[in-house]
Amino acid sequence: MYDLTGFQRDLLYAAAGLDEPHGLAIKDELENYYEKEIHHGRLYPNLDTLVDKGLIEKGEADRRTNVYSVTRRGRREIEDRRQWEDQYVESILSVTYD
């Protein structure tokens, strides 16, 4: 996952957190998080990159709507990334404040 951009990682995380997400559902999730509009010209090429890397699969819900699912490799990459992050941030998150 080290070769993904931050935006691509966020796309992967959003796809993993939604039930059979379509492009616009992923777009809505990230627009809420980023608090700004995400253009189709940025969204879909980056989703295609994740497909090309084998992290998500793209299928068709109908002629106009693609659905995405995270592959086994994509889930493994997310788990590995979370373990790597935890070693650095776990102590920060466990600090209690008086």
Side-chain angles (χ1 to χ4, degrees):
M1 188 172 311
Y2 63 87
D3 61 338
L4 299 181
T5 66
F7 183 71
Q8 291 166 343
R9 268 195 311 268
D10 291 345
L11 285 172
L12 181 60
Y13 289 175
L18 297 170
D19 187 34
E20 292 192 27
H22 51 85
L24 292 178
I26 295 170
K27 179 180 179 288
D28 289 345
E29 283 293 315
L30 290 183
E31 285 179 342
N32 288 334
Y33 178 68
Y34 289 160
E35 297 181 349
K36 68 178 190 176
E37 183 179 359
I38 295 170
H39 298 282
H40 295 286
R42 181 177 185 204
L43 177 70
Y44 291 104
N46 281 287
L47 285 169
D48 288 341
T49 296
L50 295 176
V51 170
D52 292 343
K53 291 182 177 287
L55 300 173
I56 61 173
E57 292 179 339
K58 179 168 67 171
E60 286 187 6
D62 56 46
R63 290 184 184 176
R64 296 182 44 186
T65 306
N66 291 323
V67 292
Y68 297 89
S69 61
V70 177
T71 63
R72 179 177 291 146
R73 178 177 175 221
R75 293 191 184 285
R76 189 176 64 243
E77 292 286 336
I78 291 170
E79 290 172 10
D80 290 348
R81 175 69 184 203
R82 293 298 304 254
Q83 289 176 1
W84 181 82
E85 289 172 346
D86 285 349
Q87 72 179 328
Y88 296 105
V89 299
E90 192 171 293
S91 63
I92 293 170
L93 298 176
S94 65
V95 173
T96 57
Y97 298 94
D98 294 329

